[in-house]
Amino acid sequence: MQAVLIIIGDEILSGNTIDTNSNFMAAQLKEIGIPVKQILTVSDEVESIKSALKLGFEMGNLVISTGGLGPTNDDVTKKAFKEFFNDEIIFHQETYDHLERLFIKRKRTRLLDLNRSQAEVLSKAVIFQNDNGTAPGQMVSENGKTAIFLPGVPYEMKPLFSHKVIPWLMRNFQLGHLLTRVVSVVGIPESLLSDTIQQWESELPDHLSLSYLPIGNRIKLRISGSSDDRIQLENELEEQVQKLKPYITGHILSFNGNEIQDIVKEILLTKNLTISSAESCTGGGIARLLTSCSGSSGYFSGGIIAYDARKKIEILGVSENTIRQKTTVSQEIAQEMSLGCQKLFKTNIAVATTGVAGPSSDEFGNEVGMVFYSIRIDEKEYTLKLFLPHLDRNDFMNFVSQRVLQKLAELLVHPEKREE
Amino acid sequence: MQAVLIIIGDEILSGNTIDTNSNFMAAQLKEIGIPVKQILTVSDEVESIKSALKLGFEMGNLVISTGGLGPTNDDVTKKAFKEFFNDEIIFHQETYDHLERLFIKRKRTRLLDLNRSQAEVLSKAVIFQNDNGTAPGQMVSENGKTAIFLPGVPYEMKPLFSHKVIPWLMRNFQLGHLLTRVVSVVGIPESLLSDTIQQWESELPDHLSLSYLPIGNRIKLRISGSSDDRIQLENELEEQVQKLKPYITGHILSFNGNEIQDIVKEILLTKNLTISSAESCTGGGIARLLTSCSGSSGYFSGGIIAYDARKKIEILGVSENTIRQKTTVSQEIAQEMSLGCQKLFKTNIAVATTGVAGPSSDEFGNEVGMVFYSIRIDEKEYTLKLFLPHLDRNDFMNFVSQRVLQKLAELLVHPEKREE
């Protein structure tokens, strides 16, 4: 079984909204052994949606769409599916009852005609009731082709997909297994890495594939394969990871984590270390990354966003004198921030950032893109400087947040390189 | 001119990576009057890329791809474009010299054969040199069809696109204008809103389009149009916004902002108010949203992530007794947190969150998805409760962060409704 996803929405094509639905669905489909062949992002037009359906079924036998199911005039997905499947729209009492219950729960009294139209479904469809919105998901299966359309609002789509669509697919199809192992490598450029592991790569069995994914100065090596036999595939991937090891000793950051915060979590829990953060130019980005992991309260004590210079002095105990002499964007302030943070939160590790996110230079004339960050691990301290003038404000904040955690992971995994 | 974007990368189809490149490009293309007709996300395979190119040129005359330009074996985009345009690969001295300068700057000594291959380009191509990575952008224009391929790493692609591709397109094509006005509406469900503005909507001129975009309990009404005459289009959109106003008085949150943090910024600057945050279950998400706006240091003083209960007591002055009696996830603690935060940062406004992000209930037995948030505006305080058991951890954190800022905006814009 191969899937094609259709993401419907003018707001995505116009750059107003980032589509996160396709990522969510692709990851979950992969878990149950269904690869996504292609993602088509199309506008809210009947003809565009019908063309995408046609194209989708040329490439796969399962097509899943999100979006275009609102009660308003700009939403036409249901009409497009109806025409594509030569079906008709019928009133569905069960869905109407479900809507009524939802309205009572939300303390809304008037079920308008527009809402009533949400209970109109394709006559051939299996209905997936939506507990968090008015548009149900619908599924039509014909001649070995299965089409599912779902609402586009992520908070409605996601539970519907995880709790209803995925179980339905697992019940109704015989599915294989798609597995991936990620090895995170640092301190070696992509081209040199490729050179270094050339022999191993050339001996990789044909049914396993390798990709290189550079993120900051980390490279994720992804080894993927598919099989009906999960255990055998797991063993095969493990065997390849073991074969790869000797080629890249000294550069391996993790064999498990996908995101840097997962890798940091793994290391901190293993070494039984706690962490806190004092952020200026990253504005909470580091704390947000750390807390995105479940169980982070086990190692993350808390953080300060000391945006105002005065708060750096009052809360973190940074010296007013140092600010006057060195400005807030300096190695010295980064160091005083991490020290103050470590004391305040009483953690093994404290990280601190200070820099100019832009779009213009700060009141001291420090250039946009300049940043100092400090990492304290017990009594040892490391300050690093970055200059990233080519990044816009939010990319800068995200990049620096990622980089700080990555550097921390490097320092904890390869302490022998700390003195470099 | 109409564009089709091709996003190349197995890591996106597998759900490993969220594509943000297409959003970035679509927004910038819109700015210069080029609508994006469709986005095709395809795998790193020569045939998939060639099919996408063919399809792209059936729908538009400009096709832009990102991804698949790394020096390693898994990257095949250049080969696909070469075959599609029946072109050949030549060695490009200028690009090689550029690579050498880049390597010297990065203090890397060895230019490997693999890197040298990055200086091999299509013979028909215009080259856009990449200042932040080894793969240049390339553009081939033939029979009224223009194809551009760019690296996929966002930090390389974005500056290349903004500073080289966009100016090149503006120099070489006569472009129109695409404009959008966003009116943010709150306190009215989508179906009722549609009912309320029905007459206005039906009288909207054909060349202007309307869409409804629900986000939390805010609805963005987007009115869009295209024209060669920018001023006239701006006036037309303004006229429609004015006509819309009387239908939705009392529900309008903003006529400008797209994101909730932009709306909050606008309100705080207008009213000359400052803000700080004390976060538990949102883990820095509110601070990160606030600081994503340039100029946020003008109103955001800072924030605390008091993840550990002890830090709520020590830093925010929350009472140990209250925690014992009410647990940390309670109305009382939310209130004490915002009060402590307001005192610590000396701001007009302080917001606080405490809840259970999951995946499991907390040590007091508070359920996953439970959250209390408190908003203090000078001497007044508002506490609200949410229960969001259907959201996964990160969606929960993002949703609550958004919701707090939205409620704050509502309270500031419609103070008459505060007592509801």
Side-chain angles (χ1 to χ4, degrees), chain A residues 39 41 158 291 303 305 393 395, chain B residues 41 158 291 303 305 393 395:
Chain A
I39 303 166
T41 307
K158 288 180 180 183
T291 55
I305 298 115
R393 184 179 176 85
D395 285 340
Chain B
T41 307
K158 289 180 177 181
T291 55
I305 298 116
R393 183 178 177 85
D395 285 340

Side-chain angles (χ1 to χ4, degrees), chain A residues 14 38-39 41 74 110 115 158 191-192 212 222 288 291-292 294 301-305 308 359 393 395 398, chain B residues 14 38-39 41 74 110 115 158 191-192 212 222 288 291 294 302-305 308 359 393-395 398:
Chain A
S14 70
Q38 203 162 118
I39 303 166
T41 307
D74 53 326
R110 285 213 286 159
N115 291 319
K158 288 180 180 183
S191 48
L192 189 55
Y212 296 70
R222 299 175 68 238
R288 185 62 187 80
T291 55
S292 71
S294 63
S301 297
I304 299 283
I305 298 115
D308 185 332
R393 184 179 176 85
D395 285 340
N398 292 337
Chain B
S14 70
Q38 204 162 117
I39 304 166
T41 307
D74 53 326
R110 285 212 285 159
N115 292 318
K158 289 180 177 181
S191 48
L192 189 56
Y212 295 70
R222 300 175 67 238
R288 185 62 187 80
T291 55
S294 63
I304 299 282
I305 298 116
D308 185 332
R393 183 178 177 85
N394 275 293
D395 285 340
N398 292 336

Side-chain angles (χ1 to χ4, degrees), chain A residues 268 273-277 286-288 290-291 295-303 347, chain B residues 283 305 307-308:
Chain A
L268 294 181
L273 297 170
T274 56
I275 187 170
S276 58
S277 55
I286 294 175
R288 185 62 187 80
L290 287 169
T291 55
S296 49
S297 57
Y299 50 91
F300 177 64
S301 297
T347 48
Chain B
I305 298 116
Y307 221 55
D308 185 332

Side-chain angles (χ1 to χ4, degrees), chain A residues 207-220:
Chain A
H207 65 285
L208 298 182
S209 69
L210 177 74
S211 62
Y212 296 70
L213 211 60
I215 299 205
N217 62 345
R218 173 168 65 115
I219 297 167
K220 296 203 270 187

Side-chain angles (χ1 to χ4, degrees), chain B residues 221-266:
Chain B
L221 286 173
R222 300 175 67 238
I223 317 162
S224 307
S226 67
S227 167
D228 290 335
D229 186 338
R230 187 182 180 101
I231 305 287
Q232 197 199 317
L233 183 57
E234 270 174 4
N235 290 340
E236 259 188 302
L237 289 171
E238 175 61 24
E239 193 189 315
Q240 289 304 327
V241 169
Q242 292 306 327
K243 278 191 186 161
L244 172 63
K245 256 184 182 173
Y247 291 90
I248 48 175
T249 330
H251 292 296
I252 298 167
L253 196 59
S254 165
F255 291 109
N256 299 303
N258 182 33
E259 305 286 351
I260 191 66
Q261 59 268 30
D262 301 328
I263 295 175
V264 167
K265 173 184 175 176
E266 183 193 0

Side-chain angles (χ1 to χ4, degrees), chain B residues 378-396:
Chain B
D378 295 322
E379 295 304 306
K380 291 207 169 187
E381 196 274 341
Y382 310 85
T383 320
L384 291 116
K385 183 184 173 178
L386 290 170
F387 183 52
L388 306 158
H390 58 292
L391 299 185
D392 73 18
R393 183 178 177 85
N394 275 293
D395 285 340
F396 170 89

Side-chain angles (χ1 to χ4, degrees), chain B residues 67-334:
Chain B
L69 295 182
T72 50
N73 294 331
D74 53 326
D75 285 327
V76 299
T77 300
K78 188 157 67 184
K79 183 164 189 287
F81 273 73
K82 181 197 85 135
E83 290 181 12
F84 183 84
F85 282 105
N86 244 320
D87 200 356
E88 54 188 311
I89 302 281
I90 58 164
F91 177 77
H92 193 238
Q93 189 63 44
E94 198 187 309
T95 301
Y96 188 80
D97 294 345
H98 183 85
L99 273 177
E100 271 203 329
R101 280 196 299 275
L102 201 74
F103 267 61
I104 290 164
K105 220 172 106 190
R106 291 188 176 182
K107 302 190 182 68
R108 275 164 55 182
T109 42
R110 285 212 285 159
L111 242 178
L112 301 166
D113 286 349
L114 269 180
N115 292 318
R116 190 186 156 93
S117 76
Q118 295 290 46
E120 288 169 358
V121 304
L122 267 59
S123 81
K124 301 176 188 169
V126 170
I127 307 300
F128 301 113
Q129 296 299 350
N130 179 352
D131 297 325
N132 304 294
T134 59
Q138 302 189 40
M139 191 280 309
V140 180
S141 202
E142 216 172 59
N143 310 321
K145 292 172 178 175
T146 301
I148 299 172
F149 56 95
L150 301 170
V153 176
Y155 305 118
E156 299 180 21
M157 185 285 287
K158 289 180 177 181
L160 201 51
F161 192 75
S162 302
H163 303 142
K164 299 188 177 173
V165 174
I166 289 283
W168 187 89
L169 289 168
M170 290 177 77
R171 274 198 310 276
N172 287 279
F173 296 97
Q174 199 67 37
L175 303 165
H177 300 281
L178 292 173
L179 298 179
T180 293
R181 283 290 298 270
V182 175
V183 179
S184 287
V185 178
V186 286
I188 182 169
E190 189 178 3
S191 48
L192 189 56
L193 174 62
S194 169
D195 229 37
T196 307
I197 65 172
Q198 196 174 12
Q199 198 192 337
W200 170 83
E201 186 176 346
S202 68
E203 288 169 4
L204 208 59
D206 277 348
H207 63 286
L208 297 183
S209 68
L210 176 74
S211 62
Y212 295 70
L213 211 60
I215 301 205
N217 62 345
R218 174 168 65 112
I219 297 167
K220 296 203 270 186
L221 286 173
R222 300 175 67 238
I223 317 162
S224 307
S226 67
S227 167
D228 290 335
D229 186 338
R230 187 182 180 101
I231 305 287
Q232 197 199 317
L233 183 57
E234 270 174 4
N235 290 340
E236 259 188 302
L237 289 171
E238 175 61 24
E239 193 189 315
Q240 289 304 327
V241 169
Q242 292 306 327
K243 278 191 186 161
L244 172 63
K245 256 184 182 173
Y247 291 90
I248 48 175
T249 330
H251 292 296
I252 298 167
L253 196 59
S254 165
F255 291 109
N256 299 303
N258 182 33
E259 305 286 351
I260 191 66
Q261 59 268 30
D262 301 328
I263 295 175
V264 167
K265 173 184 175 176
E266 183 193 0
I267 301 169
L268 294 181
L269 287 179
T270 309
K271 297 186 184 273
N272 199 18
L273 297 170
T274 55
I275 187 169
S276 58
S277 55
E279 304 182 59
S280 185
C281 65
T282 45
I286 294 175
R288 185 62 187 80
L289 278 180
L290 287 169
T291 55
S292 71
C293 300
S294 63
S296 49
S297 56
Y299 50 91
F300 177 64
S301 297
I304 299 282
I305 298 116
Y307 221 55
D308 185 332
R310 194 121 292 277
K311 299 305 154 194
K312 292 187 177 75
I313 299 167
E314 290 170 15
I315 305 177
L316 291 169
V318 163
S319 135
E320 200 162 351
N321 211 20
T322 317
I323 294 183
R324 245 196 319 267
Q325 285 174 13
K326 305 286 179 178
T327 85
T328 51
V329 180
S330 61
Q331 180 174 343
E332 289 77 5
I333 294 299

